[in-house]
Amino acid sequence: MIAEIFDALQYAFIQRALVAGSLIALNCSFLGLFLVLRRFALIGDGLAHVAFGTIGLGLLLHSHPIYVSVPLVMLASLWILMISEKAKIHGDAAIGLVAALGVATGVMLASVGRGFNVDLFSYLFGSILAISRGEVILSVMLSLVVLMVIVLFMNDLFAITYEEEYARVLGIKTRRMTSMLTICTALTVVLGIRVVGTMLISSLLIFPAVTALQVARCFRTAIIIAAASSVLSVVFGVFISYLFNLPTGATIVYVSFLLFGTAYLCGRLF
Amino acid sequence: MKSRTCLAVMLSLLITVHWGFPVHATDDPGPERLQVVATLFPLFDWARIIGGEKSDVNLLLPPGVEAHAFEPTPRDIVAINKADLFIYTGESMEPWVRNLLGSLTNRSLMIVDSSEGIDYMEEARHEGAGAEGQGRHDSIHDHEKEAARRHDPDHQHSRHHDKIEGHHHDRHGGKDPHIWLEFGNARKMVNHIARAFSEKDPASADLYLSRAAEYNNQLIQLEKAYEQTLAGCRHKTLVYGGHFAFGYLAARYGLKHISPYQGFTPDAEPTPKRIAELIDYMKQSGMKAIFFEEGIEPRVAKVLGRETGAQLLLLHGAHNVTKEEMARNVSYLSIMEENLERLTRGLECS
């Protein structure tokens, strides 16, 4: 078994899956913690739908969908935030609203453009086994940015997540913080979808966070547990899927679920 | 209030429907041009060659739409209702045709199932490429089985039965629907189309049939070129990074094929072990090319290419063409000629 794992490590695509996958997972686990606490857990799925909408536009503008997707999905994420603040709707409903609109836009524009020339989904949605070198570099840069934001503003982010009013009294620029968090999320989601696919992005945003919240007693521990469980699930997921010849993305989701189950039991027992 | 809205909707629907039909009944233009609707690109190509100036051929699939995902819109159905000929590939390629036929009101429409008389192969499953690096090729085996079954007196019955039963599990019904990618089948399909044209327009029957015969000669030429070229190749196995549409062609020329995907669905994720096996296989056999399908970003093929240094070559399944290809006037023949060139390069044929 150990020998087989060493075999697996010789392939560049496995190495890439481990490196880029772990980095994206790390990002998602940090952001996921704030998102889950603020009831924005499904934003990964929601923004994936918005990304679909931008396919139509990319089609009309004859440009690679990713260039259109990144700015537009960022805007959409800010819009979700605005709706949930201004219109007295909870985050989940705001996500649903924008997501539905995104899909409708995609269908509408695709129809206006008389069909897709190629299967654009394959350009927008990636797979953890098919990561290119460019995408590895992209994941490294992305995680540097997100990590910097989290480390620099850790306390502020924590404050606005638990008690927004109090944070405002303390003089924290809550709006700016929230927008920054949302933009980081949008960036992670769009680029992450391109690198590891929709299913993994939404599971990596939710699982590590809920796992950590089962056992953690304070916010710092929660962040550490979330980060550890996300990276563990990717690494174990990749190796298990290699050893037992299973699809990798789905295996990672199962490993995440297993970690969550363990955390849940631990949380009850101790 | 509510019922009034309802009534208004019903009325406007009625008016629309009423306007929909007389166009066909009364506004018939004097000089008869056969109105033809074809589902897939090869059928469209053949119909426009056979019909020539005597027909208006429309491709039902808009350029670039993925063939397996297509379903007709209401306006498509109206167009079919106004046509003289409707040509489709076969039950397993276009399962929606069966439902569509039930809803048609056009009694003079002639429906051409171009797969009539063609023996379907079982869908190829890409297992194997085992430890010794040899792809076990199911479809050759299936082809033999199919040939044996042809002598079976109950064959017709059993095939029909399979067709219906196969409908339950997946979109292809367990049959490989890509029949047009083998020249013997293609000739049969061309003949079906020509015969349908002649029946609809007996006055020009000779013209249609002679055009079909001439075209079939071109197909035979190309078939010979394939036979000669593919007989002398260094490699006998195609590494394919997509859903493999060339089962008939591969079986015909004794080629094997392996793919990272387990079944036919391009959406299913390949497993890492499978990809690793393919990389090892390509390295061992010294294969310098990997083929990919049209219309998608070949991500998995790119992975294989990066690991082995093999080049990526397009093997065009001709389901449908892009707008650009349509503008460049590609044809079934030109696509197949280009495929042969790339096969020659990829399999290192002399």
Side-chain angles (χ1 to χ4, degrees), chain A residues 87-160:
Chain A
K88 289 182 188 164
I89 319 179
H90 277 302
D92 53 352
I95 290 169
L97 191 149
V98 174
L101 213 57
V103 174
T105 310
V107 171
M108 198 65 97
L109 289 174
S111 163
V112 171
R114 282 301 272 157
F116 299 133
N117 257 347
V118 286
D119 183 9
L120 277 165
F121 291 109
S122 67
Y123 286 85
L124 209 56
F125 303 135
S127 147
I128 192 163
L129 294 180
I131 298 174
S132 70
R133 181 173 300 164
E135 285 164 356
V136 174
I137 295 169
L138 190 91
S139 329
V140 172
M141 291 196 313
L142 179 69
S143 42
L144 282 181
V145 170
V146 173
L147 211 67
M148 225 161 63
V149 169
I150 302 280
V151 170
L152 280 180
F153 301 106
M154 171 83 128
N155 291 326
D156 295 0
L157 285 172
F158 169 67
I160 61 161

Side-chain angles (χ1 to χ4, degrees), chain A residues 4 11 13 113 116 119 245, chain B residues 64 271 273 280 295 297 307 323:
Chain A
E4 260 193 287
Y11 296 103
F13 78 96
F116 299 133
D119 183 9
N245 201 20
Chain B
T271 69
K273 195 157 224 168
D280 293 345
E297 189 192 23
E307 300 260 351
K323 278 179 197 164

Side-chain angles (χ1 to χ4, degrees), chain A residues 4 11-13 16 113 116-119 122-123 126-127 129-132 135 194 241-243 245-246 248-249, chain B residues 62-66 262 269-277 279-280 295-297 299-300 303 306-307 322-324:
Chain A
E4 260 193 287
Y11 296 103
F13 78 96
R16 289 198 180 107
F116 299 133
N117 257 347
V118 286
D119 183 9
S122 67
Y123 286 85
S127 147
L129 294 180
I131 298 174
S132 70
E135 285 164 356
R194 166 79 189 163
S241 80
Y242 183 83
L243 290 175
N245 201 20
L246 300 167
T248 310
Chain B
V65 167
E66 216 277 321
Q262 298 279 340
E269 213 184 340
T271 69
K273 195 157 224 168
R274 181 81 188 133
I275 295 178
E277 278 169 3
I279 291 167
D280 293 345
I296 63 151
E297 189 192 23
R299 295 182 70 99
V300 176
V303 170
R306 273 197 298 269
E307 300 260 351
T322 63
K323 278 179 197 164
E324 290 79 46

Side-chain angles (χ1 to χ4, degrees), chain A:
Chain A
M1 196 141 120
I2 302 293
E4 260 193 287
I5 286 177
F6 276 108
D7 274 349
L9 279 173
Q10 282 166 0
Y11 296 103
F13 78 96
I14 300 268
Q15 296 163 8
R16 289 198 180 107
L18 289 172
V19 173
S22 302
L23 285 176
I24 298 260
L26 216 53
N27 278 352
C28 288
S29 68
F30 291 146
L31 296 170
L33 209 50
F34 297 109
L35 295 171
V36 166
L37 287 173
R38 307 196 67 181
R39 295 201 187 182
F40 276 109
L42 283 177
I43 202 165
D45 265 328
L47 292 182
H49 284 85
V50 176
F52 171 82
T54 62
I55 293 182
L57 204 64
L59 173 90
L60 284 184
L61 298 177
H62 295 287
S63 75
H64 196 287
I66 207 84
Y67 299 130
V68 185
S69 284
V70 172
L72 284 185
V73 172
M74 278 181 175
L75 285 181
S77 69
L78 287 178
W79 195 36
I80 291 177
L81 200 68
M82 221 178 77
I83 293 176
S84 66
E85 277 173 2
K86 295 270 159 68
K88 289 182 188 164
I89 319 179
H90 277 302
D92 53 352
I95 290 169
L97 191 149
V98 174
L101 213 57
V103 174
T105 310
V107 171
M108 198 65 97
L109 289 174
S111 163
V112 171
R114 282 301 272 157
F116 299 133
N117 257 347
V118 286
D119 183 9
L120 277 165
F121 291 109
S122 67
Y123 286 85
L124 209 56
F125 303 135
S127 147
I128 192 163
L129 294 180
I131 298 174
S132 70
R133 181 173 300 164
E135 285 164 356
V136 174
I137 295 169
L138 190 91
S139 329
V140 172
M141 291 196 313
L142 179 69
S143 42
L144 282 181
V145 170
V146 173
L147 211 67
M148 225 161 63
V149 169
I150 302 280
V151 170
L152 280 180
F153 301 106
M154 171 83 128
N155 291 326
D156 295 0
L157 285 172
F158 169 67
I160 61 161
T161 305
Y162 272 103
E163 209 36 268
E164 201 164 347
E165 286 305 313
Y166 183 59
R168 199 169 291 143
V169 171
L170 284 181
I172 297 169
K173 298 218 163 41
T174 54
R175 293 214 71 181
R176 201 179 290 167
M177 279 293 124
T178 316
S179 305
M180 196 173 58
L181 189 68
T182 314
I183 286 185
C184 278
T185 309
L187 208 60
T188 306
V189 169
V190 187
L191 299 181
I193 285 174
R194 166 79 189 163
V195 179
V196 296
T198 321
M199 177 181 69
L200 271 188
I201 280 296
S202 24
S203 86
L204 287 174
L205 279 175
I206 299 173
F207 272 115
V210 293
T211 304
L213 292 176
Q214 295 301 316
V215 282
R217 300 253 159 78
C218 71
F219 200 66
R220 260 165 230 278
T221 352
I223 284 200
I224 292 167
I225 294 175
S229 77
S230 72
V231 174
L232 276 183
S233 56
V234 168
V235 172
F236 276 104
V238 168
F239 284 133
I240 292 173
S241 80
Y242 183 83
L243 290 175
F244 298 101
N245 201 20
L246 300 167
T248 310
T251 312
I252 293 174
V253 174
Y254 273 105
V255 174
S256 311
F257 181 70
L258 219 64
L259 289 175
F260 167 73
T262 317
Y264 175 80
L265 287 180
C266 286
R268 289 293 119 125
L269 292 176
F270 303 114

